[in-house]
Amino acid sequence: EAGVTQFPSHSVIEKGQTVTLRCDPISGHDNLYWYRRVMGKEIKFLLHFVKESKQDESGMPNNRFLAERTGGTYSTLKVQPAELEDSGVYFCASSQGLSGARTEAFFGQGTRLTVV
Amino acid sequence: SQQGEEDPQALSIQEGENATMNCSYKTSINNLQWYRQNSGRGLVHLILIRSNEREKHSGRLRVTLDTSKKSSSLLITASRAADTASYFCARYQTGANNLFFGTGTRLTVIP
């Protein structure tokens, strides 16, 4: 069974440019999460999809970030325009179930974003 | 705050020794999970302990949970060089449907 895959693995862009990150969750997982880790700091929650709907986007830092999940399958996270403080590793995770008892999340390898 | 505390921030031990990492949190939880991240790679789920459990084992891993103190610990016994990684605890908080992570503990096992 394929795991959570993220693309690209690395991205270096200039300030002001646009970048789109993609996440393909494990097939059949309704829950999809985006997290971000800025260098040396905690892994912070960004948002959560249940199928194609945004369940919680309270962690999105500002309106330069836009996440979508087409048809409840893969998800994209667009940063436009990118700023220096957006640099970090963006993780995607997916899980089954809606109850708290079954929330083992499977993470992708992450996308390392560097804004210069 | 959603954040918890993990300590130590960094831990260096000799191969064969035991490693203990601690995690404290502030809000009530449904369960607590430990993850490992090898350098440059994704997070790997290690173990999940529910709020009504006090201790759980998986191979060389032992996790304890004390909900009265809002703390958990991860013990890795007979460490190996391959255990070198960052370890994170993640809280699944009551009423929220996502995981809240801390800053992690960087473990180095010296061969």
Side-chain angles (χ1 to χ4, degrees):
Chain A
E1 176 184 295
V4 177
T5 57
Q6 292 186 243
F7 182 83
S9 57
H10 294 84
S11 181
V12 181
I13 62 171
E14 292 184 350
K15 177 181 173 181
Q17 289 186 322
T18 297
V19 63
T20 300
L21 313 180
R22 172 170 170 147
C23 169
D24 286 77
I26 292 173
S27 178
H29 281 190
D30 289 337
N31 297 291
L32 187 150
Y33 306 87
W34 283 98
Y35 289 85
R36 176 174 73 174
R37 188 183 191 201
V38 174
M39 178 70 75
K41 296 191 175 180
E42 71 272 17
I43 299 171
K44 293 193 75 172
F45 166 78
L46 296 179
L47 88 159
H48 169 216
F49 285 98
V50 176
K51 298 184 180 179
E52 68 276 9
S53 300
K54 292 177 185 175
Q55 181 78 8
D56 181 354
E57 52 184 331
S58 61
M60 295 287 264
N62 52 59
N63 60 10
R64 295 185 294 102
F65 289 74
L66 175 64
E68 294 179 324
R69 189 179 183 192
T70 307
T73 55
Y74 70 90
S75 174
T76 58
L77 179 64
K78 179 190 288 187
V79 185
Q80 179 182 29
E83 298 290 344
L84 299 179
E85 64 264 25
D86 300 333
S87 296
V89 181
Y90 290 76
F91 291 104
C92 174
S94 71
S95 71
Q96 286 182 312
L98 297 178
S99 72
R102 294 184 62 203
T103 51
E104 176 185 346
F106 296 85
F107 280 78
Q109 301 281 51
T111 293
R112 182 175 295 278
L113 174 65
T114 303
V115 183
V116 297
Chain B
S1 168
Q2 298 174 350
Q3 310 310 324
E5 299 290 332
E6 286 149 299
D7 75 273
Q9 291 188 338
L11 179 62
S12 184
I13 60 174
Q14 295 289 329
E15 197 165 36
E17 293 181 336
N18 296 341
T20 300
M21 290 159 270
N22 303 296
C23 167
S24 62
Y25 55 92
K26 299 179 181 179
T27 63
S28 63
I29 61 170
N30 185 294
N31 64 58
L32 186 143
Q33 304 176 35
W34 285 89
Y35 288 81
R36 180 183 70 210
Q37 184 191 18
N38 289 80
S39 180
R41 308 192 68 176
L43 291 157
V44 174
H45 182 267
L46 296 176
I47 198 165
L48 180 154
I49 186 166
R50 294 185 174 82
S51 60
N52 61 353
E53 297 175 312
R54 292 296 167 260
E55 187 171 314
K56 209 162 183 180
H57 297 254
S58 177
R60 293 183 296 112
L61 306 180
R62 173 177 166 252
V63 169
T64 62
L65 178 64
D66 187 335
T67 52
S68 66
K69 295 181 179 178
K70 291 186 167 56
S71 67
S72 174
S73 67
L74 170 67
L75 169 67
I76 303 174
T77 60
S79 64
R80 305 167 182 168
D83 294 330
T84 294
S86 291
Y87 291 81
F88 296 87
C89 75
R91 285 84 58 196
Y92 191 90
Q93 294 177 187
T94 305
N97 194 12
N98 61 68
L99 295 169
F100 295 96
F101 288 82
T103 55
T105 293
R106 176 68 189 169
L107 173 65
T108 302
V109 181
I110 302 167

